[in-house]
Amino acid sequence: MKFKLHALAAATTLAMTPVSQAADVEVLHWWTSGGEAASVQFLKQQLEGKNVGWTDFAVAGGGGESAMTVLKSRAISGNPPTAAQIKGPSIQEWGELGFLASIDDVANAADWDNLLPSVVSDVMKYNGEYVAAPVNVHRVNWLWANPAVFQKAGATIPTTWDDFMLQAQKLKDAGFVALAHGGQAWQDATVFEAVVLGVGGADYYQKAFVEGDMAALNSDTTVEVFETFGKLRQYIDANSPGRDWNVATSMVINGEAGMQIMGDWAKGEFKVAGKNVGTDYVCVAAPGTSGSFTFNVDSFAFFTQSDDAKSAAQGVMADAILSTEFQEVFNLNKGSIPARLSMDRAEFDSCAHDSMDAFIASSQTGGLVPSFAHGMAVSEAVAGAIYDTATNFFNSSDSAEQGAKQLVAAIAAAQ
Ligand code: GAL
């Protein structure tokens, strides 16, 4: 690990530096939807209030695949941004390559080890030192529903996959889009992940899709997963291919569709649309997953800088991210819950409370699992194998047996 200058020491330097010399931070992210942009705007404001300017390096494309491609080219050309939205095992991969700067001084000065649950803090460290700051905890296994649409269709909001098919058919027969969906690989993988968890359960999910246990993957359960996943093809609309996730969310918001299976960044879209949870929309655990929580922690990793002032600005940014003010306001806009423990819940809505409760409950039952669709569980290569298999299957008429066979082969080749 190459450390040019520890962020805290540099931050001290900054504090003594005349105001005009404060460095800017250039930040790569992919938060371009309404709710996402509102969230990132607050981080910009926080930093400007601390005299750190923000150069926005936004690369659109939900799920971040395009952003990561651009980041790699910038890093390889020796010109990485100050910080980038990097999550889960990718933090280790970037650390191995020697690109990341330690913010351990800032983290230790603020006692992050006690402010964060270990399932979060462990991911933020490389070689035992903090190199990234967590902004939130998203829950991915959610179903978002428009109750007025269900009422018009005489349907009820499903809690099992068998019931999902019955209720989706009622929505479809009533002329609604049953399942709002964007036909992009990461969205197909997000829905696939919910089916894996709901059909196979948390133990199977962990063994097969986190540990890559080939016996668990090569099982009847995987065939059952593909059987359920394949049935969903009939409940999306013909305009789904290429649709962005937040456009699918707007279909539920405007009453064109009954439901969407998506992480709780979708709640940020309901919020910017002025919708109220409980009346305009409801959030329920994706079918069969109420006791589980697929977690997706957004974080900013810091790239080694040659300029002391930029290293100092990294420390200011890391410190601001873990502040209670940022953790509250950012997550109220983003739809996620704070990464920081013991936050006041008063301003958060019932979906956030459900998420906070499920996070704690599932951590005690084994139901808290990392999202493989959102970069938290496996290497980029294995995640890519799952993405390719899920999206190829969903866009074909392949049988469940064929899907399961392709998944096993693709993961085996990627491991
Ligand atoms: C996830 C990311 C979320 C949200 C979502 C849609 O990977 O963690 O914060 O941006 O993609 O783009």
Side-chain angles (χ1 to χ4, degrees):
M1 165 73 70
K2 291 182 300 183
F3 299 149
K4 291 292 179 191
L5 184 71
H6 283 293
L8 181 64
T12 309
T13 309
L14 178 69
M16 296 184 293
T17 308
V19 163
S20 58
Q21 291 176 15
D24 288 1
V25 290
E26 183 193 22
V27 182
L28 169 80
H29 64 88
W30 61 87
W31 290 332
T32 55
S33 77
E36 292 171 334
S39 312
V40 83
Q41 181 60 27
F42 183 67
L43 180 53
K44 293 181 193 177
Q45 289 165 358
Q46 284 279 86
L47 291 175
E48 276 152 10
K50 297 173 187 296
N51 198 42
V52 171
W54 174 286
T55 303
D56 204 45
F57 182 12
V59 177
E65 280 188 277
S66 305
M68 290 302 103
T69 301
V70 171
L71 176 61
K72 285 169 189 164
S73 62
R74 279 285 297 271
I76 288 166
S77 64
N79 176 29
T82 322
Q85 186 182 350
I86 300 175
K87 306 189 290 183
S90 291
I91 294 173
Q92 302 308 311
E93 293 174 16
W94 283 100
E96 288 292 334
L97 293 169
F99 281 105
L100 302 186
S102 169
I103 52 164
D104 218 40
D105 294 357
V106 170
N108 293 335
D111 194 18
W112 285 16
D113 279 349
N114 290 311
L115 291 185
L116 298 169
S118 57
V119 74
V120 173
S121 56
D122 289 350
V123 174
M124 301 299 130
K125 295 177 184 176
Y126 173 70
N127 271 356
E129 296 210 22
Y130 282 95
V131 293
V135 296
N136 62 10
V137 177
H138 273 301
R139 186 186 194 189
V140 185
N141 59 305
W142 281 113
L143 182 149
W144 307 91
N146 183 323
V149 171
F150 274 76
Q151 193 173 19
K152 288 172 190 164
T156 54
I157 293 166
T159 55
T160 67
W161 282 111
D162 287 343
D163 190 31
F164 179 97
M165 307 302 167
L166 293 174
Q167 304 310 323
Q169 192 57 49
K170 290 178 190 171
L171 292 168
K172 188 176 177 181
D173 293 345
F176 295 101
V177 173
L179 180 63
H181 183 67
Q184 297 170 346
W186 75 270
Q187 293 188 63
D188 296 339
T190 298
V191 174
F192 178 68
E193 178 180 279
V195 175
V196 166
L197 189 61
V199 171
D203 292 347
Y204 162 78
Y205 179 108
Q206 177 69 28
K207 228 166 170 37
F209 288 86
V210 181
E211 296 163 21
D213 179 282
M214 296 314 284
L217 279 166
N218 215 344
S219 66
D220 292 344
T221 305
T222 303
V223 175
E224 287 168 41
V225 164
F226 277 94
E227 274 161 2
T228 298
F229 188 46
K231 289 175 184 170
L232 299 181
R233 293 164 176 150
Q234 62 194 307
Y235 296 122
I236 64 173
D237 65 301
N239 295 324
S240 167
R243 179 185 288 138
D244 285 335
W245 69 271
N246 53 312
V247 176
T249 309
S250 67
M251 292 166 69
V252 179
I253 289 171
N254 66 32
E256 183 185 349
M259 46 190 167
Q260 181 185 21
I261 292 171
M262 187 49 71
D264 45 23
W265 47 90
K267 196 172 70 159
E269 303 308 300
F270 287 101
K271 179 178 173 67
V272 290
K275 300 302 178 183
N276 298 306
V277 64
T279 49
D280 301 316
Y281 70 97
V282 295
C283 56
V284 294
T289 72
S290 60
S292 301
F293 190 118
T294 38
F295 67 87
N296 168 30
V297 179
D298 284 313
S299 47
F300 285 106
F302 298 94
F303 283 76
T304 300
Q305 301 292 313
S306 53
D307 173 336
D308 296 355
K310 282 191 181 295
S311 298
Q314 289 175 328
V316 174
M317 179 174 172
D319 209 39
I321 285 170
L322 259 290
S323 69
T324 52
E325 184 190 15
F326 174 82
Q327 286 286 321
E328 177 172 279
V329 177
F330 177 87
N331 286 290
L332 285 172
N333 285 291
K334 192 71 173 62
S336 36
I337 60 175
R340 178 169 173 157
L341 293 167
S342 310
M343 289 284 296
D344 183 349
R345 296 167 54 128
E347 294 300 312
F348 289 92
D349 64 23
S350 58
C351 294
H353 291 162
D354 288 353
S355 190
M356 291 168 180
D357 295 342
F359 184 75
I360 293 165
S362 62
S363 69
Q364 289 152 5
T365 62
L368 180 63
V369 291
S371 168
F372 63 70
H374 290 276
M376 299 304 296
V378 294
S379 68
E380 280 194 30
V382 173
I386 298 170
Y387 273 36
D388 293 347
T389 308
T391 202
N392 292 340
F393 172 81
F394 198 59
N395 292 288
S396 74
S397 54
D398 286 354
S399 69
E401 289 75 11
Q402 285 172 305
K405 190 176 172 190
Q406 282 157 14
L407 179 74
V408 170
I411 291 179
Q415 278 181 335

